[in-house]
Amino acid sequence: MTEEKIHSSVKDQELITIRRNQIIKGAIKLFKEKGFHRTTTREIAKESGFSIGTLYEYIRTKEDVLFLVCDSIHEQVRERIAQAVDLEYPSIPNMLKAIRSFYYLMDEMQDEIVILYQEVKSLKKETRDYVLQKERDMVGLIEKVITACTEDKLSKQEVVLLANNIVVEGHMWGFRRWILQKQFSLDEYVGMQMKLIDYVIK
């Protein structure tokens, strides 16, 4: 889907992936330091390790870079959850494993999550709608895991609310780190969240 949204003059898909990962890494560092609007494409190119001309072979606008960052977040979440749970053998332990994995991924990606919350409003409507749909898809994936693993213990509304709570609690570790990370270690935070979830599903 990303390739359909963002044009590249390069045809080598493997090279596109490598270069765009470099762009994402460089952009995250700059967006964290300066914000989206104060960062220039020239700075992104330099931070990514190549010229401004090379940068424009892989993107068209600075908004494309922000889109790549947002898209990368959601793809990594999808992959991590898919790796953590086997829905052919659904169980409560499998569900808890997937949720725990999600929380630890959110710690690894907390800078990206903060950028997502701060800067998604800077995207044009079409791209913003796509990113928000990816967010809904992520919640939907967690809903699917909960539904498969809890064997109808929860109502549809309870599943929806629990899935949204899990996503927000994962994100909260990043966007409220100024207070939470002074009061809890990551293991403490995840452990307490897992206890709350365990209480809900029993």
Side-chain angles (χ1 to χ4, degrees), residues 1 21 26 59 105 109 111 116 122 141 146 148 175 191:
M1 186 64 175
N21 284 338
I59 56 110
L105 177 63
M109 301 186 71
D111 287 341
L116 183 62
S122 300
L141 178 58
I146 294 169
F175 69 71

Side-chain angles (χ1 to χ4, degrees), residues 74-191:
H74 294 117
E75 283 304 307
Q76 288 186 59
V77 169
R78 183 191 61 77
E79 290 172 6
R80 179 68 66 93
I81 291 176
Q83 290 169 2
V85 65
D86 183 353
L87 291 180
E88 290 186 12
Y89 303 98
S91 67
I92 296 294
N94 268 350
M95 183 192 81
L96 296 176
K97 178 185 175 185
I99 295 169
R100 182 179 291 275
S101 179
F102 171 76
Y103 285 139
Y104 280 97
L105 177 63
M106 291 300 95
D107 174 66
E108 294 170 24
M109 301 186 71
Q110 56 184 281
D111 287 341
E112 291 95 321
I113 295 299
V114 171
I115 290 167
L116 183 62
Y117 272 85
Q118 290 175 338
E119 305 293 0
V120 72
K121 63 183 181 296
S122 300
L123 295 169
K124 293 177 182 176
K125 184 180 184 305
E126 180 185 0
T127 309
R128 185 173 66 247
D129 288 347
Y130 172 76
V131 171
L132 293 176
Q133 182 59 51
K134 296 278 283 192
E135 182 83 2
R136 286 188 285 271
D137 291 345
M138 182 168 59
V139 174
L141 178 58
I142 295 176
E143 287 178 21
K144 183 179 179 181
V145 170
I146 294 169
T147 299
C149 294
T150 56
E151 298 179 340
D152 298 323
K153 287 184 178 180
L154 303 176
S155 70
K156 181 175 176 57
Q157 283 188 314
E158 287 171 332
V159 169
V160 169
L161 187 57
L162 179 58
N164 277 279
N165 282 345
I166 289 166
V167 170
V168 172
E169 287 157 5
H171 291 178
M172 183 168 67
W173 179 248
F175 69 71
R176 289 188 63 81
R177 59 189 173 187
W178 59 275
I179 184 169
L180 288 174
Q181 294 183 26
K182 292 179 180 177
Q183 297 178 320
F184 305 96
S185 69
L186 175 61
D187 288 341
E188 288 170 338
Y189 181 78
V190 173

